[in-house]
Amino acid sequence: MDLNENQQMIRGLARSFAQDRLRPIAARIDESGEFPAATVREMGELGLLGLTVPEEYGGVGADTLSYALVVEELAKVCGSHALICAAHNSLGCGPILDFGNDEQRQRWLPAAARGEHLLAFGLTEAGAGSDAGGTRTTAVREGDGWVVNGSKMWITNAHYAGAVTLTAMTDPAGGTHRGISAFIVPKDTPGFTVEKKEDKLGVRASDTAPLTLVDVRLPADALLGEAGQGFRYFMKTLDGGRVSIAAMALGLATGAFETARDYSRTRIQFGRPISHQQAIQFMLADMATRIEASRLLTYRAARLKDAGRSYSREAGMAKLFASETAMFVCDRAIQILGGYGFIREYPVERLYRDAKLCTIGEGTSEIQRLVIARSLLQDD
């Protein structure tokens, strides 16, 4: 697929950074679960944490396709860095950029784009995951401000976020679509606690933790956009986030494929490389075909967003297909490597564990199918 000069330059920058700086540490930080603070700061210095933030707010002002290319390149090497970048750009910066006022953008986006702090997004609760409208966190008016009580789960970048944009019920009578509002909560607000980091199957170096809010008092200007519009804001934010998760899945799949292909050329069995065996060739062909289809779906969704056109269905398709492709490709890569695929000497077992998140986060595969089906039926 043709890329313009700027897109090629940004992709090259991300590729060099991933190969030179992330590849040497990816296995170690997966093993330890250590948050890679130094390389995250470097991402900020390179502009990778402000990719879609306009220049007037300290960002790069790149298009969505360039952003997807960056996430893809990071994920080829390290799923944790890809997720840190994706969650910060799409879920952290995205809602403030799209729905915040100029004062909120000036306050939060320049430092976030420079990597001085990350931004996070709080939607999921114990009873509100796929059912995003099941929010139980509440925000009650007190004077000119609000008092927030509740909790959130699975918050990426939680300990390193300067602020979290989260949903809370402000008008129970308004129901899901008119009763939920969005708020920007600074991390140092009294009563706001980031709990212990989760110990995860994959993307282990990314920071994921629950949040607790006990009588958190927020000023009036903490409200993001209009009261009662939080559910709509977050659904739109998730559409954009699904493009980045599709790109992450695409990168993980590509990294696993390249490892398996290269291994098949050097592994000798029965007197010749296993790449000469039809069974291996067929697996590689299937892997490459699904990767290319995922790339086309992902880039198409990104280009539709850049063109200002509707892309919700296409983002769902890209995220669904790319995430399930990542699981398929990583599984086949492990099979091609055999015993070596099952141990940590090669990266495919790590990529396999990282890929599983892509079928869950920002809407499970089952939710994507619902989104796609409803869109198709509405067209009828």
Side-chain angles (χ1 to χ4, degrees):
M1 185 173 288
D2 293 337
L3 302 175
N4 64 37
E5 185 176 346
N6 283 339
Q7 290 162 348
Q8 292 179 44
M9 180 186 67
I10 290 173
R11 182 180 64 178
L13 173 68
R15 181 174 294 174
S16 295
F17 174 70
Q19 296 296 327
D20 296 343
R21 298 292 294 125
L22 304 188
R23 188 174 292 282
I25 67 170
R28 175 176 60 79
I29 62 175
D30 171 73
E31 178 73 23
S32 67
E34 170 193 354
F35 184 81
T39 44
V40 170
R41 282 195 298 272
E42 289 182 46
M43 287 201 293
E45 293 165 1
L46 291 172
L48 304 184
L49 297 181
L51 283 164
T52 58
V53 174
E55 293 182 11
E56 65 183 295
Y57 298 114
V60 174
D63 57 19
T64 308
L65 180 54
S66 296
Y67 165 43
L69 292 167
V70 167
V71 174
E72 178 185 351
E73 292 298 328
L74 298 179
K76 287 180 186 178
V77 175
C78 179
S80 292
H81 279 86
L83 181 60
I84 292 165
C85 179
H88 170 77
N89 276 283
S90 291
L91 304 184
C93 297
I96 296 175
L97 178 63
D98 291 342
F99 309 114
N101 56 41
D102 187 65
E103 182 179 345
Q104 290 168 331
R105 294 170 182 167
Q106 291 287 1
R107 178 180 180 184
W108 294 111
L109 294 180
R114 292 191 297 268
E116 295 176 13
H117 62 73
L118 298 175
L119 292 172
F121 173 92
L123 173 62
T124 304
E125 301 177 6
S130 294
D131 177 14
T135 298
R136 294 292 177 266
T137 296
T138 61
V140 178
R141 286 191 183 273
E142 184 177 274
D144 292 336
W146 303 84
V147 179
V148 183
N149 284 278
S151 61
K152 298 292 180 179
M153 300 175 66
W154 318 127
I155 309 305
T156 304
N157 297 332
H159 286 95
Y160 299 88
V164 179
T165 301
L166 53 80
T167 50
M169 179 64 71
T170 52
D171 180 12
T176 297
H177 296 287
R178 297 293 300 178
I180 296 175
S181 301
F183 297 88
I184 305 171
V185 183
K187 182 182 176 181
D188 58 1
T189 306
F192 179 72
T193 304
V194 180
E195 305 291 353
K196 181 181 177 182
K197 178 183 176 182
E198 302 287 3
D199 188 9
K200 299 172 294 183
L201 170 74
V203 288
R204 289 175 45 78
S206 75
D207 179 62
T208 305
L211 308 176
T212 303
L213 301 98
V214 179
D215 293 334
V216 172
R217 284 173 165 75
L218 298 175
D221 62 8
L223 178 69
L224 183 69
E226 299 178 21
Q229 294 298 306
F231 182 83
R232 182 174 68 85
Y233 294 163
F234 274 35
M235 291 302 100
K236 288 183 175 294
T237 297
L238 286 173
D239 281 341
R242 285 166 184 159
V243 177
S244 66
I245 296 300
M248 177 177 166
L250 172 60
L252 292 167
T254 304
F257 168 78
E258 291 176 350
T259 300
R261 179 199 59 197
D262 295 347
Y263 178 87
S264 75
R265 290 168 169 165
T266 59
R267 174 64 168 167
I268 305 298
Q269 289 284 275
F270 305 105
R272 59 181 181 172
I274 62 172
S275 60
H276 290 203
Q277 298 176 13
Q278 190 179 71
I280 301 298
Q281 293 173 355
F282 280 11
M283 280 195 278
L284 291 171
D286 287 342
M287 293 157 74
T289 299
R290 294 195 188 196
I291 288 171
E292 191 59 27
S294 298
R295 179 169 287 110
L296 292 170
L297 285 168
T298 301
Y299 290 8
R300 178 175 181 242
R303 284 191 157 125
L304 286 172
K305 185 175 188 294
D306 286 332
R309 296 171 57 186
S310 174
Y311 69 98
S312 179
R313 179 202 301 174
E314 290 76 11
M317 288 178 170
K319 197 265 190 187
L320 170 64
F321 192 81
S323 64
E324 297 198 347
T325 289
M327 292 302 295
F328 172 88
V329 170
C330 290
D331 176 81
R332 296 302 187 275
I334 291 172
Q335 195 71 14
I336 290 171
L337 269 69
Y340 285 112
F342 204 67
I343 63 175
R344 295 185 178 182
E345 181 176 343
Y346 287 86
V348 291
E349 65 84 29
R350 170 168 50 85
L351 297 173
Y352 182 85
R353 288 185 287 106
D354 289 351
K356 185 57 190 171
L357 172 72
C358 298
T359 69
I360 299 172
E362 306 213 25
T364 64
S365 292
E366 292 72 28
I367 290 295
Q368 302 315 309
R369 289 182 168 91
L370 284 175
V371 169
I372 295 163
R374 287 171 180 168
S375 175
L376 293 171
L377 293 171
Q378 286 173 358
D379 285 353
D380 292 341

